[in-house]
Amino acid sequence: AGMRSRPSPGSFSNVRPILETHCVHCHGRERLKNMPAFADTRELSRLIGPGNWIVPRHPEQSRFLLVATLADNQAGAMPPTGHAISKWEIEALRDWITAGASIPAGQPFPLAPRGPGPR
């Protein structure tokens, strides 16, 4: 019992709720044109790769993680309205990138905003 309770570190299932709580309000369907979009897993996969926003196995090179770890008062910090994401959420994002930033295969599935928007 309890063997299936928590996904392994580095699993996308750990990352999806973080994206849906903190990111897709602004990076999903209703986004500003200059923002990288990830309203679904296909769009998110386009941001993954060498020299891209998310560099598999290299969290230190991933701008995606950098902007999430900036202090609220630093330019470019995400989310932009403060309430920076928690340390455990940062660790989940870092673990996912370190493990290769894999996204489940198959149909792209939507990343839907959860809870109140950050603005």
Side-chain angles (χ1 to χ4, degrees):
M3 293 295 286
R4 297 166 51 95
S5 59
R6 290 180 62 90
S8 63
S11 167
F12 183 71
S13 53
N14 294 325
V15 168
R16 184 179 184 182
I18 300 170
L19 299 178
E20 293 184 330
T21 301
H22 298 290
C23 308
V24 297
H25 294 85
C26 299
H27 289 273
R29 295 273 168 253
E30 307 291 321
R31 73 177 193 287
L32 298 175
K33 290 286 179 263
N34 62 339
M35 292 182 162
F38 40 92
D40 62 42
T41 51
R42 179 178 289 150
E43 289 183 343
L44 183 64
S45 69
R46 291 184 186 133
L47 304 178
I48 300 172
N52 211 329
W53 282 80
I54 299 167
V55 183
R57 287 175 285 286
H58 293 283
E60 76 286 352
Q61 295 174 20
S62 299
R63 180 164 172 74
F64 176 83
L65 189 66
L66 172 67
V67 298
T69 56
L70 293 173
D72 284 349
N73 61 357
Q74 290 182 273
M78 292 288 138
T81 52
H83 326 299
I85 66 178
S86 70
K87 290 203 182 341
W88 73 264
E89 289 170 320
I90 292 291
E91 289 309 308
L93 293 172
R94 182 178 285 117
D95 288 346
W96 174 63
I97 295 171
T98 299
S102 64
I103 291 178
Q107 295 299 314
F109 51 80
L111 299 172
R114 295 186 187 199
R119 300 201 160 114

